[in-house]
Amino acid sequence: MERTIPTLIFGLLAMLLIGLSLVVVTSRSVFRGAVALTGALGVVAGLFALLGADFVAAGQLLIYVGGIMIIMLFVIMLSQRPQDHLDRQTNDQWVWGAFFSLAIACALIMQFRAVYRGIFVTTVATPTSASIGRLLLGDMVVPFEAVSLVLLASLVGAVYFGLDKEDRS
């Protein structure tokens, strides 16, 4: 019974992630797509937590869901023209995207078949936040702080691209 509950949770999260991802790529509303992307990134954090990568799950929530998606939603809400919210969400590369999606789907199906045949060996996930915290605040403190400058630059870039073309000068 222990092995089936995490498998069931993984299956539910995977189906939710696929559904939200489909909403992201098929929605005509940029705002609705951004909200679905926020949900999809939250589900990915849940998958990381299920795998025992608690630090990566917390980082996923804080950085992507809590930071970048909020910036993107502010840019969308602060844009002045409602017609900008209904853009075509596909481009000329959709054939290549469909091809690679099909290839990834085939690879995932092969992996799932291997899991249910007993070839795939499962291990018990252990939390990783203590060792990563010691590393980030010890030897890697300078690169860790450099990442904050990159995030600040992305914030400035999001505000810049959110302005009208006349206001950018």
Side-chain angles (χ1 to χ4, degrees):
M1 188 71 178
E2 295 175 27
R3 187 172 178 198
T4 59
I5 292 175
T7 304
L8 179 66
I9 293 171
F10 174 79
L12 291 173
L13 288 176
M15 287 188 294
L16 184 61
L17 180 61
I18 290 170
L20 287 169
S21 300
L22 286 173
V23 171
V24 170
V25 298
T26 59
S27 176
R28 289 188 50 102
S29 170
V30 176
F31 185 75
R32 188 173 295 133
V35 171
L37 182 59
T38 303
L41 291 173
V43 171
V44 169
L47 288 173
F48 283 137
L50 187 65
L51 292 172
D54 54 344
F55 184 80
V56 178
Q60 176 84 10
L61 284 174
L62 291 174
I63 294 170
Y64 289 107
V65 177
I68 294 173
M69 291 307 300
I70 297 300
I71 292 169
M72 191 165 105
L73 290 177
F74 276 132
V75 169
I76 290 170
M77 289 189 305
L78 292 176
S79 66
Q80 303 277 327
R81 299 170 292 217
Q83 67 269 17
D84 289 344
H85 297 281
L86 295 174
D87 288 337
R88 184 173 159 235
Q89 296 296 315
T90 59
N91 59 21
D92 296 334
Q93 301 293 325
W94 71 270
V95 175
W96 285 106
F99 172 73
F100 285 117
S101 297
L102 184 64
I104 290 171
C106 289
L108 286 173
I109 289 170
M110 289 172 35
Q111 284 296 323
F112 287 143
R113 289 177 67 194
V115 167
Y116 288 113
R117 285 188 184 157
I119 298 171
F120 192 80
V121 177
T122 59
T123 59
V124 176
T126 58
T128 58
S129 57
S131 60
I132 292 175
R134 277 188 227 102
L135 180 68
L136 285 178
L137 296 177
D139 296 337
M140 304 299 276
V141 71
V142 174
F144 182 68
E145 292 299 324
V147 169
S148 68
L149 294 176
V150 172
L151 290 174
L152 178 65
S154 68
L155 172 67
V156 172
V159 170
Y160 176 76
F161 287 118
L163 296 174
D164 288 333
K165 290 185 179 181
E166 297 87 28
D167 295 335
R168 290 184 187 175
S169 57

